[in-house]
Each structure stands twice: as C-alpha cells, then as structure tokens.
Amino acid sequence: MWKIAIVGFGNVSQGFLRILKDKKESLKERYNFEYSITAIADPVKGSVMNASGLDVDFLMELFDSEGNLKSHPNRTDLGSIDIIERSEADIIVETTITNLETGEPGLSHIKAALGAKKHVVSTNKGPVSVALPELAKLAKENHVEYLFEGVVLSGTPSINLAKEALAGCDIKKVMGIVNGTTNYILTRMEEGTSYEDALKKAQELGYAEADPTGDVEGWDAAVKAQVLANVIMGHQIKIEDVQRTGITKITQEDIKDAAKRGARIKLIAEVEKTNGTVKASVSPQEIPLSHPLANIMDATNALTFTTDHLGDVTIVGPGAGRVETGQALLTDILAIHRKYCKI
C-alpha cells in the first residue's frame, strides 16, 4: 500500500483527493493500487497528519462543511517541511502556488521530499522552471521519481505522450495552444467582443486571475515552452531565453484580416530543434484553417508534435480544472506504482 502526503490543499489537490476517494475500488481492481493518505499540509486551510492513515470520507465532509481542516482531530501545527519528513509517506503530492522567480515554497518542499527518499508528483511549474536539472539529479541520487505531467497541459498527456507513446521518434518541433485563458479571449474577439470585455468575461468565469498578466503577456505559455524544451528536447534553457509576446496588442482588425487570409490568430508556444540548437518562443501567430490548431476554440489546449516517423501528431484536451489536473497527479502516481510495484 502506498502512503501519500499532500502539500498544498487548493483546488488541484482537492480534485485529486476526490478522484482517489471515488475510484478507490476501481484503482484496486484495475491496477492493484491501494493507498492511504497520511498527511495534508496547508498553513491556511489547516494541516493534519496520521501515519496510520486519515479517513478520507470524514476529511472531505469536514472540508466541505467548514472550508478548512482546522477542527480535525488529527490537526497539527507542524510546518510543511516537518510534515514531509515525518508523515511516513512514500509519495509527496506537491501543489502549492507557482512562483516563477524563486520556485518557492514548492522548491524547498520538493528538495526535502527527494532528500528524504520520497517520490514526488507535482503540478507546480515554478520548481521545474527554476531548478529542473538539480531536482532531477537529486531524485536520481536518492533512487526516487520526480514527475510533473500536469505542468504543461493539465491532465491532457503531453510529456508522457512525447516520452512514452512517441518513444523512438525524433521530435523536431512542438507547437501549440498551452494557455486556455488567452485562447478563450481570442475566441470571443473573433465573435466580435472587444479585448477588454473578453478579458472581463474570462475573469468572471475563473479562467483569468484578477491580475491576468501571467496569461495575457505570455508568461504562463513561456514557462510551458521552457519545460517542453528542457524535458522533451533535452536542451536546458531559462524562461528568459524564451522569446515572448502576449496578446494585449491584438485587435479585432487583426483577427478580421487573418480571417480574410484563411487563418486564425492563436497564441502559440513553439519549440524547435535545428542543427542541434533549440529555440523556444511564444507569440500570436496566424494559423491556417487547414491546421488542427486553428480549430481549437475557447479554453481548450492542444499540442502538435512534428516527428520523423509519424509526421505531425496533435493532441487536444483541457488545460486546466481541478479534476483534470488531479488526473495528471494520478497518472504520475500510477506510473510510479507500475515501476516499483509496491503492493
């Protein structure tokens, strides 16, 4: 049985825990996968720990009724690092807030977990962007896994698709729509809505934050392009190396002109390998209507992999959502389960 501790109890971790709860019997029958949750660490919502395993049904009922875990009988005042080290977990699920400047607090959480010989699965883009080589080395030295499928397209396979399903292919280029917020805005603008009104609607729907800079200026897409370059192309670059242009200067006239030319404007993250050199960029591009990416609308994401054996392979799916991103965590955990066969 796998013991799992969760660090950060926001929407993604909540979605993940509900998946585990709802599919407990199915996971056992299909994959011989059994688990217990030994801890949840969240300084705002409350931290709980029980090495023998927490009652997930009771835990979720308490959270649904009170919005936090502060009255749980297994409440603890220990900090996240102490919980990681003392929870007796085999796997740490790290889903704290993304920080692209320092990677913290997630970076320290992941280092502590790997150093304690615990596997880590995470949807946190910050540590991947800031310190992937260091974290990969630390995981290797301690004979554990550090997996982060959800950082690019949430639960829609991207890293796993490239490294496993496309194994043996040379991937020459990856290009795609990796930010649902900007794609939603561009979709509304094509329908005649102004940029300002489309952004406001995206914020009302929860697609965009109160400060939408990370999305509309292309930072979110840029870090995903960086991850694709580092992980899939095997070429280490920094986020500053990604040429970046957002959508804030796109007008309805631009969109109409593109339509006249048989194209749509999309914010495209692109990584390409040429003669051993890898270049990564994010920019609005006119995509011909004949290309699969041109027909990706609203908050949907998609990636096209250009390969030597298969030509272009495109995958389409959701790039956000609590259950969708929770699925990425489950995918990574099941990959660890298959590799290490802990029964």
Side-chain angles (χ1 to χ4, degrees), residues 149 153 155-159 161 175-177 292-293 296 300-305 312-317:
E149 173 63 41
L153 291 188
T156 301
S158 54
I159 296 172
L161 175 65
M175 63 179 290
I177 298 163
L293 293 179
I296 305 303
T300 304
N301 286 186
L303 278 177
T304 296
F305 297 84
D312 285 352
V313 176
T314 300
I315 188 162
V316 179

Side-chain angles (χ1 to χ4, degrees), residues 324-342:
E324 293 84 352
T325 312
Q327 169 60 35
L329 294 168
L330 178 59
T331 296
D332 283 342
I333 286 176
L334 290 176
I336 292 171
H337 175 63
R338 287 193 298 272
K339 182 172 180 178
Y340 292 86
C341 296
K342 189 177 181 70

Side-chain angles (χ1 to χ4, degrees), residues 124-297:
N124 191 335
K125 295 185 288 290
V128 183
S129 175
V130 172
L132 178 58
E134 177 187 1
L135 296 176
K137 180 182 178 182
L138 188 59
K140 185 176 181 179
E141 289 173 348
N142 286 283
H143 307 289
V144 291
E145 303 295 319
Y146 170 44
L147 302 179
F148 43 86
E149 173 63 41
V151 303
V152 178
L153 291 188
S154 183
T156 301
S158 54
I159 296 172
N160 288 336
L161 175 65
K163 296 181 73 174
E164 296 181 17
L166 297 178
C169 289
D170 286 338
I171 298 175
K172 304 173 182 178
K173 182 169 74 171
V174 186
M175 63 179 290
I177 298 163
V178 297
N179 182 271
T181 301
T182 51
N183 205 51
Y184 175 86
I185 292 171
L186 292 171
T187 299
R188 298 287 80 80
M189 290 178 69
E190 186 175 338
E191 296 171 349
T193 305
S194 68
Y195 169 81
E196 291 77 13
D197 287 346
L199 172 58
K200 183 178 179 181
K201 186 63 176 178
Q203 290 171 322
E204 290 173 358
L205 292 172
Y207 295 148
E209 301 290 341
D211 179 1
T213 303
D215 293 319
V216 299
E217 293 288 356
W219 286 106
D220 176 71
V223 72
K224 293 173 180 178
Q226 178 199 9
V227 171
L228 291 170
N230 291 352
V231 178
I232 294 174
M233 300 297 192
H235 189 90
Q236 297 302 314
I237 65 172
K238 297 179 180 180
I239 192 169
E240 293 83 6
D241 298 324
V242 181
Q243 297 181 8
R244 176 186 52 82
T245 304
I247 67 166
T248 54
K249 295 183 180 180
I250 298 297
T251 65
Q252 286 182 321
E253 287 302 313
D254 295 329
I255 290 173
K256 290 176 182 177
D257 289 343
K260 292 175 184 177
R261 291 186 284 269
R264 280 196 175 104
I265 294 178
K266 298 292 184 182
L267 185 67
I268 298 296
E270 188 169 4
V271 181
E272 186 168 12
K273 182 186 292 184
T274 306
N275 298 324
T277 299
V278 172
K279 293 184 178 181
S281 64
V282 171
S283 64
Q285 296 184 26
E286 289 191 14
I287 306 297
L289 294 178
S290 58
H291 195 286
L293 293 179
N295 298 301
I296 305 303
M297 310 300 282

